[in-house]
Amino acid sequence: MLIRRHFVLGAIGLVAATAASPAAQAQSSGGNTLVVATTQVPRHFNGAVQSGMATAMPTAQIFASPLRYDDKWNPQPYLAQSWEVAPDGLSVTLHLVKDAVFHDGHPVTSEDVAFSIMAIKANHPFQTMLAAVDKVETPDPATAILRLKNPSPSLLLAMSPALMPILPKHVYGDGQDLKTHPANLKPIGSGPFKLTEYKQGEYYTLEKFDKFFIPGRPKLDKIVVRLVSDQNAAVVSLERGDFSALPFIAGARDIDRLQKAPNLIVTDKGMAGVGPLNWLAFNTRKKPLDDVRVRQAIAYAANRDFIVSKLMGGKATPALGPIAPESPLAEAGVEPYKVDYVKSAALLDAAGYAKGADGSRFSLTIDYIPGADEQQRNVAEYMRSQLKRVGINLEVRAAPDFPTWAQRVSNFDFDLTMDTVYNWGDPVIGVNRTYLTSNIRKGIIWSNTQQYSNPKVDELLQAAAVETSPEKRKALYSEFQKIVVSEVPIYFINVSPYYNAFAKGLGNLPNSIWGMMSPLDELYWEVPPKT
Amino acid sequence: MAFATHLARQIVNAIALLIAVLVLNFCLIHLAPGDPVQVIAGEMGGASAEVVAALRAKYGLDQSLMQQLSIYLGNVAVGDFGYSYYFNQPVLGLILQRLPATLYLTLCALSAALAIGTLLGVVSARRPNGLFSHAVTVVSLAGYAAPIFWTGLLLLLLFGSVWPILPVVGMADVVNPKHGFAYVLDVGRHLVLPSLTLALVFIAQYSRLARVNMIEALSADYVRTARAKGLPEWLVVGKHALRNTLIPIVTVAGHQFGNLFAGAVLVETVFSWPGMGRLVFDSILRRDYPTLMAVLFFSALMVMTANIVTDMIYRLVDPRIRTGRR
């Protein structure tokens, strides 16, 4: 309909446009609207069946969840006003707020919570997240009891808005396949905002839900999310005030440019929960990389400091181990592999790979994920010159696109590869998959593609997954991190930089561990933008 | 009568060619390494073998290529283009939502390129060795030689940042939707940069063509005759010479629809234009076979339609073809 009008009027418009007044078009409609630009296009709006940032951002606005988190990893009441974990760790009881309603007016009850948890368990890509849940009991409308097969300390984090949207059973429980449910595009939740409009590939509009159960919130009337297909266009438009927020900015140059803009605040807070790690992975079953000394030698030659400070313009945080440094479970006391070419050469000699007449020891290939030059390709190219210093010839293999790279790596058809894998908060959700022997799955990317296998590591991860004492759990993960770093199935490089930029004048910026993937009900304009 | 017969023959040929395009696309896409299940399983952070097998069965990827192809052709025959793996929606809906925007952009760009290119060519043909003629040659060749996304980015920076007078995202203001004439103006302003970027590539070709043909026409006998009759110069150039200049340009323009679509993919991505361009790009990266094949099918359909229409216009404009005299 709209398009048809475009057709009729386009030609006139084109002529008229040339005569239009040369004033920049401010898209900020002032008042109480937030205009967000993002390159992340959601498939739909149901985070119960879909992972990833693109869906998590709107999901956290449309749906409420049992808990939410602050910037210190502490759970806060949300749909659950209080909760108890049984001493044996085999059940979690949620006491729901009494006055929460869905956007269609139906009250939120324990039935909805039970339905949603089982639906997420059955459909969400993160299969380990709710694996421990056996069933959910609903003794009364305001109480839900999760019965567990084994203790699951990661469960409380899985109750975050980005991971556990509470769906209305009367809408989604009609027997249709949840992954293709029509309501995924016309969602009904109990979160602070309602989805009022979605134009595929163009924009979606979220409007304030008047009956949101937290009094006085949300503070904004409307959030318009414009889907931008080119990051340059997003950056330029943000600078000139067309948008008031741009989340998930990854390029050092863009970050640098926006940090210099007088009208913006640029922050790297709000991704701690995601913990996106960028690393160099080894195929540990392939000669000569099956020898731990060779992997250590490469780690000593790699020079993380140079990569982070120079190649990434100082915008990335170094990562020393498998758990992202912002996590309370991160262990800082691991071998940092400070650059040391002498040590590197000695390790290679000890492993039986002496330099030949031409000065080289052996040749390897390195792959990288196409499309992320700063984090992937540049580092791969740089590795070639670094490893040359210690007599290793490295050939960089480009892949035309992601599926080609995924095909190679998941079928173990590689020597070294750059990779980016997310922690997703708790190690059980996003870390274990990379190291468990049971997760060596040919043909499946982001499983244990290094084919790394260490019974001690398996044991530690399994024990930590069910350990209810926080201190003991941290100790188990510390040991796990020390082993993995010393055995180098992966050389950890950095946390992928994801910055958020906001227009000055916004208050209560979303700096919690989930950042823009948490409810924006407290965000408000201290100084409304000019219309 | 001959015209109708010719048209019917053209349509039959086009249908046969479309079927060939469908089969070829199917084979090409399935030859590319990786498949959609791998992309989906990757998001699951290490799915089990059973889950992967179930996904392959769900999408029919566990059958032989021949079986998959015959099922696909059968479905397309009844207008069923399948379900997007990625968006979990019927593909036809996705395409129909985006097709008009692409058509709109390409037609505007084509019209602009034709008008500007012809005008520049005709004017520079009047003094083929003049400064203006050389300037047109240099500038239009630069526009032709520069990669289209680079031209787009340059214009984006120029008019979006350095001299921020034009919007660089989307098709219309979605925050403060305009109405009436303000809306027309708004859409027009959004259209300037993407259509100019796309037009720049083609302006060079049309201005060169117009210039060469105009120079040739102006030295032709019938122009000399017209001038000898004492006709005013604007009539000589604008009517007699221009008509013969336009024929090759219309032909080339009609046959360039394919290039125009290829350019649109890049331009739409740079300016977030809500057309099929971005859909093609993303579908390739995700191995979203049904979406990709449908996009390619519709692109082929449009290119062929454009070719047939061009052919028909050509026959109408040039009486020599109609009557078979050369």
Side-chain angles (χ1 to χ4, degrees):
Chain A
M1 195 61 239
L2 187 73
I3 298 280
R4 197 171 308 153
R5 271 201 301 161
H6 282 317
F7 264 112
V8 178
L9 304 172
I12 315 166
L14 193 56
V15 174
T18 51
S21 67
Q25 172 201 32
Q27 288 216 354
S28 323
S29 71
N32 219 352
T33 300
L34 177 78
V35 188
V36 182
T38 181
T39 52
Q40 302 269 340
V41 180
R43 298 177 179 205
H44 55 68
F45 302 93
N46 184 356
V49 298
Q50 176 67 51
S51 63
M53 297 188 280
T55 297
M57 189 165 78
T59 289
Q61 313 315 319
I62 298 163
F63 298 93
S65 54
L67 306 176
R68 62 200 289 182
Y69 277 76
D70 63 11
D71 58 346
K72 306 271 188 306
W73 296 79
N74 300 312
Q76 304 289 333
Y78 195 20
L79 267 177
Q81 55 188 357
S82 62
W83 60 96
E84 300 105 38
V85 180
D88 62 3
L90 291 174
S91 70
V92 178
T93 305
L94 301 173
H95 302 284
L96 306 179
V97 293
K98 296 277 195 298
D99 44 2
V101 293
F102 287 110
H103 301 156
D104 61 0
H106 282 255
V108 181
T109 69
S110 56
E111 286 289 332
D112 300 301
V113 173
F115 166 77
S116 303
I117 289 174
M118 296 321 278
I120 294 165
K121 180 180 162 74
N123 290 289
H124 197 281
F126 298 163
Q127 293 284 299
T128 55
M129 195 165 69
L130 301 180
V133 178
D134 184 30
K135 58 178 188 269
V136 184
E137 291 167 4
T138 52
D140 65 65
T143 312
I145 305 169
L146 287 73
R147 300 286 177 195
L148 312 182
K149 297 173 202 159
N150 49 263
S152 178
S154 63
L155 191 59
L156 291 186
L157 195 73
M159 292 185 181
S160 298
L163 301 170
M164 197 182 278
I166 297 304
L167 316 171
K169 186 181 176 182
H170 65 274
V171 174
Y172 292 89
D174 58 1
Q176 294 188 67
D177 179 4
L178 265 191
K179 286 200 170 75
T180 54
H181 201 288
N184 293 350
L185 289 169
K186 293 193 167 87
I188 292 171
S190 55
F193 295 92
K194 299 177 292 190
L195 181 83
T196 51
E197 195 180 2
Y198 175 43
K199 280 216 65 176
Q200 224 283 324
E202 269 193 272
Y203 65 93
Y204 56 90
T205 305
L206 300 158
E207 284 183 29
K208 176 181 185 162
F209 176 42
D210 289 333
K211 297 196 181 71
F212 183 54
F213 61 92
I214 302 177
R217 294 195 204 162
K219 294 185 158 62
L220 292 167
D221 290 334
K222 201 178 348 171
I223 300 175
V224 179
V225 180
R226 183 108 210 206
L227 305 171
V228 179
S229 49
D230 182 88
Q231 185 71 12
N232 300 296
V235 167
V236 163
S237 301
L238 183 73
E239 276 178 338
R240 56 189 236 181
D242 290 357
F243 305 122
S244 328
L246 175 62
F248 317 129
I249 312 160
R253 244 176 328 190
D254 289 342
I255 294 163
D256 216 33
R257 184 177 169 136
L258 292 172
Q259 280 175 330
K260 291 192 180 96
N263 57 334
L264 300 172
I265 294 167
V266 181
T267 170
D268 62 348
K269 286 196 169 57
M271 286 298 282
V274 177
L277 291 184
N278 191 53
W279 65 48
L280 171 69
F282 300 95
N283 186 345
T284 63
R285 298 252 176 117
K286 229 174 158 180
K287 276 198 174 313
L289 298 168
D290 57 345
D291 189 324
V292 66
R293 289 167 298 186
V294 173
R295 302 198 298 267
Q296 287 169 336
I298 291 174
Y300 279 116
N303 200 352
R304 178 189 298 113
D305 291 346
F306 182 89
I307 295 170
V308 172
S309 64
K310 297 292 186 293
L311 295 185
M312 297 176 187
K315 302 295 178 206
T317 312
L320 301 179
I323 296 182
E326 281 186 281
S327 164
L329 296 168
E331 170 59 61
V334 293
E335 170 59 46
Y337 294 106
K338 286 274 176 222
V339 67
D340 188 337
Y341 303 118
V342 175
K343 205 171 194 172
S344 176
L347 279 162
L348 290 167
D349 288 339
Y353 296 102
K355 275 191 178 177
D358 61 349
S360 75
R361 301 172 192 271
F362 51 81
S363 298
L364 294 170
T365 59
I366 182 166
D367 291 87
Y368 61 87
I369 305 176
D373 291 358
E374 204 170 276
Q375 295 293 302
Q376 295 273 309
R377 191 188 69 187
N378 297 357
V379 183
E381 299 273 4
Y382 169 73
M383 283 293 165
R384 185 171 53 179
S385 59
Q386 279 305 95
L387 297 194
K388 192 117 197 105
R389 288 168 176 255
V390 291
I392 300 171
N393 295 323
L394 199 57
E395 183 205 338
V396 180
R397 284 202 308 182
D401 59 9
F402 169 78
T404 309
W405 171 85
Q407 170 102 339
R408 281 179 189 172
V409 173
S410 64
N411 286 293
F412 317 135
D413 168 25
F414 74 104
D415 298 337
L416 278 70
T417 184
M418 292 296 301
D419 199 351
T420 302
V421 180
Y422 295 4
N423 271 196
W424 283 110
D426 194 276
V428 169
I429 304 173
V431 177
N432 294 10
R433 55 179 170 173
T434 311
Y435 309 95
L436 286 172
T437 306
S438 59
N439 209 34
I440 300 175
R441 303 175 193 273
K442 194 175 172 135
I444 296 170
I445 195 62
W446 295 321
S447 56
N448 181 352
T449 45
Q450 294 64 240
Q451 302 180 82
Y452 171 69
S453 175
N454 178 337
K456 179 68 184 162
V457 163
D458 293 346
E459 195 186 305
L460 286 167
L461 290 177
Q462 273 144 9
V466 298
E467 178 53 65
T468 50
S469 149
E471 293 74 28
K472 283 188 189 155
R473 191 168 193 242
K474 190 167 167 39
L476 290 167
Y477 278 127
S478 291
E479 197 183 343
F480 150 74
Q481 288 167 86
K482 284 176 180 158
I483 295 173
V484 164
V485 172
S486 70
E487 297 196 334
V488 214
I490 286 167
Y491 170 69
F492 301 95
I493 301 172
N494 63 294
V495 181
S496 295
Y498 278 112
Y499 285 58
N500 295 333
F502 299 98
K504 278 189 178 152
L506 278 167
N508 288 341
L509 294 180
N511 288 339
S512 71
I513 60 164
W514 295 114
M516 288 291 276
M517 291 165 282
S518 58
L520 300 173
D521 55 339
E522 295 178 90
L523 191 65
Y524 74 107
W525 284 107
E526 292 165 341
V527 184
K530 291 191 288 290
T531 48
Chain B
M1 192 61 228
F3 187 82
T5 315
H6 181 77
L7 181 63
R9 196 178 305 135
Q10 290 272 55
I11 290 171
V12 170
N13 285 347
I15 291 170
L17 196 54
L18 268 178
I19 294 169
V21 163
L22 272 175
V23 174
L24 189 69
N25 281 341
F26 183 92
C27 297
L28 277 177
I29 291 163
H30 283 79
L31 277 175
D35 73 12
V37 170
Q38 215 161 25
V39 178
I40 296 165
E43 291 178 344
M44 296 179 140
S48 64
E50 297 77 47
V51 169
V52 169
L55 278 171
R56 286 221 159 84
K58 180 181 166 187
Y59 298 134
L61 297 168
D62 53 346
Q63 297 163 331
S64 75
L65 266 189
M66 279 315 292
Q67 275 175 310
Q68 287 185 51
L69 177 62
S70 64
I71 291 169
Y72 181 73
L73 289 176
N75 288 344
V76 169
V78 294
D80 175 9
F81 286 89
Y83 232 69
S84 160
Y85 300 151
Y86 186 79
F87 288 106
N88 276 327
Q89 293 175 52
V91 167
L92 198 60
L94 275 178
I95 305 253
L96 292 180
Q97 272 180 26
R98 292 170 179 243
L99 186 64
T102 295
L103 271 176
Y104 178 49
L105 171 65
T106 45
L107 289 174
C108 285
L110 184 65
S111 314
L114 275 172
I116 298 169
T118 308
L119 188 70
L120 290 177
V122 168
V123 173
S124 57
R126 302 294 313 285
R127 289 193 182 75
N129 294 317
L131 185 64
F132 181 79
S133 174
H134 288 308
V136 167
T137 304
V138 170
V139 172
S140 60
L141 276 180
Y144 176 66
I148 196 161
F149 65 89
W150 184 84
T151 309
L153 283 177
L154 202 72
L155 289 174
L156 184 141
L157 281 174
L158 203 62
F159 295 103
S161 181
V162 178
W163 195 36
I165 55 167
L166 287 167
V168 292
V169 168
M171 195 164 180
D173 183 352
V174 298
V175 181
N176 304 303
K178 309 280 188 290
H179 303 284
F181 187 67
Y183 172 78
V184 179
L185 213 64
D186 182 42
V187 173
R189 296 181 69 242
H190 280 83
L191 183 66
V192 175
L193 290 179
S195 58
L196 183 63
T197 306
L198 193 51
L200 273 173
V201 179
F202 297 94
I203 285 174
Q205 300 173 54
Y206 302 151
S207 69
R208 305 284 299 160
L209 255 166
R211 184 171 172 273
V212 169
N213 282 293
M214 197 55 152
I215 290 170
E216 194 182 333
L218 288 176
S219 62
D221 289 347
Y222 64 88
V223 169
R224 197 171 309 137
T225 309
R227 281 182 177 148
K229 281 194 300 186
L231 284 180
E233 186 65 6
W234 65 267
L235 207 60
V236 173
V237 175
K239 189 177 172 206
H240 292 261
L242 187 63
R243 188 168 172 166
N244 279 323
T245 303
L246 279 178
I247 292 171
I249 296 179
V250 168
T251 314
V252 169
H255 289 280
Q256 273 186 329
F257 237 77
N259 298 352
L260 206 59
F261 274 125
V265 170
L266 299 168
V267 172
E268 285 181 4
T269 304
V270 172
F271 294 103
S272 311
W273 191 261
M276 291 201 308
R278 184 70 193 179
L279 203 59
V280 175
F281 191 71
D282 289 345
S283 306
I284 294 171
L285 291 189
R286 295 170 187 138
R287 298 287 186 270
D288 190 347
Y289 299 150
T291 310
L292 188 54
M293 292 200 296
V295 170
L296 293 172
F297 173 81
F298 278 94
S299 307
L301 183 68
M302 281 185 295
V303 170
M304 284 174 199
T305 308
N307 285 350
I308 292 174
V309 169
T310 310
D311 195 53
M312 294 300 141
I313 291 175
Y314 194 38
R315 295 175 78 81
L316 289 174
V317 171
D318 194 340
R320 287 171 303 182
I321 297 176
R322 255 205 320 271
T323 54
R325 284 189 295 121
R326 284 284 184 278

